[in-house]
């Protein structure tokens, strides 16, 4: 069974849903006060479950879209990104809320944010389900964080190992034997 690859469940489906309600209420309050219709952008593919749950608790007008980027890890740590699927809208003047599964080194989000601001977005905020602050190598601040987790490799609820385990309904630590064999 799929759960046999899990060492330990870190975040249960109930925890996740409660967090989506809490973050959704906060995000709704912030954008309503600002009076803007945010362009809520999920980064494929890891953000899909979080995006789907979170948006149900955004009690205001929103537009949604998805972006698919891959980060090159070249010789230098200035992570450049390749855009595999871009947004459908022109982002000029828009308030963008990026939705991501996890902020690890921070390279991906930093680059995506910079790219969108360069294209004229009015502001770019970040909502992430998970944050691994110990792993950060570039400075990027998430505006909305679900859970801070220790430096362990996790899967489930969108997060993968070699494209597997995204469909687990919780976030769990992957057994070392899965990737050390
Ligand atoms: P960053 O640019 O290093 O912040 O990369 C973030 C991306 O790395 C995430 O979108 C995930 O795809 C991947 N990632 C980082 N940590 C984990 C993990 O523990 N499990 C699964 N994917 C991870
Ligand atoms: Mg990802």
């Amino acid at each position: 069974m799929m759960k046999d690859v899990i060492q330990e469940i870190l975040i249960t489906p109930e925890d996740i849903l409660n967090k989506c309600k809490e973050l959704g209420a906060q995000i709704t309050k912030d954008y309503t006060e600002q009076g803007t219709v945010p362009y809520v952008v999920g980064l494929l593919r890891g953000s899909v479950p979080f995006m789907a749950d979170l948006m149900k608790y955004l009690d205001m007008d929103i537009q949604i879209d998805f972006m698919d980027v891959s980060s090159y890890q070249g010789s230098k740590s200035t992570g450049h990104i390749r855009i595999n699927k871009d947004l459908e809208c022109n982002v000029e003047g828009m308030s963008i809320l990026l939705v991501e599964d996890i902020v690890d080194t921070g390279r991906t989000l930093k680059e995506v944010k910079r790219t969108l601001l360069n294209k004229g977005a009015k502001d770019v905020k970040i909502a992430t389900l998970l944050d691994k602050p110990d792993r950060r190598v570039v400075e990027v601040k998430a505006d909305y964080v679900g859970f801070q987790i220790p430096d362990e490799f996790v899967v489930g609820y969108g997060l993968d190992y070699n494209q597997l385990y995204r469909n687990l309904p919780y976030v769990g630590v992957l057994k070392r034997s899965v990737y050390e064999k």
Side-chain angles (χ1 to χ4, degrees):
M1 279 159 77
M2 201 166 35
K3 70 171 171 33
D4 296 343
V5 300
I6 298 301
Q7 177 84 47
E8 176 199 357
I9 294 179
L10 278 189
I11 309 168
T12 66
E14 293 85 344
D15 294 338
I16 295 171
L17 212 58
N18 286 331
K19 189 59 78 174
C20 288
K21 290 182 191 171
E22 186 188 314
L23 290 178
Q26 185 63 49
I27 293 168
T28 300
K29 180 172 173 284
D30 293 350
Y31 283 92
T32 304
E33 278 171 12
Q34 215 182 288
T36 49
V37 174
Y39 194 28
V40 183
V41 173
L43 296 184
L44 293 171
R45 284 160 265 183
S47 72
V48 168
F50 181 44
M51 175 87 165
D53 283 336
L54 180 67
M55 62 188 270
K56 293 177 220 166
Y57 301 105
L58 298 180
D59 186 16
M60 61 185 158
D61 288 344
I62 63 166
Q63 290 180 263
I64 71 160
D65 204 346
F66 291 94
M67 241 179 131
D68 183 19
V69 305
S70 25
S71 44
Y72 303 107
Q73 240 72 297
S75 48
K76 273 262 179 241
S77 61
T78 50
H80 278 289
I81 52 165
R82 183 180 64 208
I83 297 177
N84 304 315
K85 185 221 167 287
D86 208 344
L87 300 172
E88 302 299 324
C89 285
N90 177 352
V91 300
E92 249 178 84
M94 298 194 91
S95 292
I96 297 175
L97 178 65
L98 286 172
V99 178
E100 178 59 308
D101 51 1
I102 187 166
V103 187
D104 186 38
T105 65
R107 287 193 183 103
T108 312
L109 277 173
K110 188 179 177 156
E111 275 303 298
V112 172
K113 185 169 175 175
R114 195 181 60 84
T115 305
L116 293 170
L117 286 169
N118 279 346
K119 289 183 178 172
K122 189 170 98 198
D123 59 85
V124 179
K125 288 188 177 173
I126 294 169
T128 185
L129 177 72
L130 305 176
D131 184 15
K132 274 189 198 168
D134 297 346
R135 294 260 309 162
R136 202 74 87 254
V137 299
V138 297
E139 210 192 309
V140 58
K141 182 184 136 285
D143 301 271
Y144 305 98
V145 176
F147 304 91
Q148 290 204 341
I149 61 166
D151 182 11
E152 305 256 29
F153 195 82
V154 294
V155 295
Y157 197 72
L159 292 122
D160 73 301
Y161 170 66
N162 281 349
Q163 299 303 331
L164 295 178
Y165 317 127
R166 293 190 196 274
N167 51 323
L168 286 166
Y170 47 75
V171 174
V173 178
L174 189 64
K175 279 185 184 162
R176 286 191 169 269
S177 57
V178 177
Y179 53 91
E180 281 180 353
K181 65 181 172 212

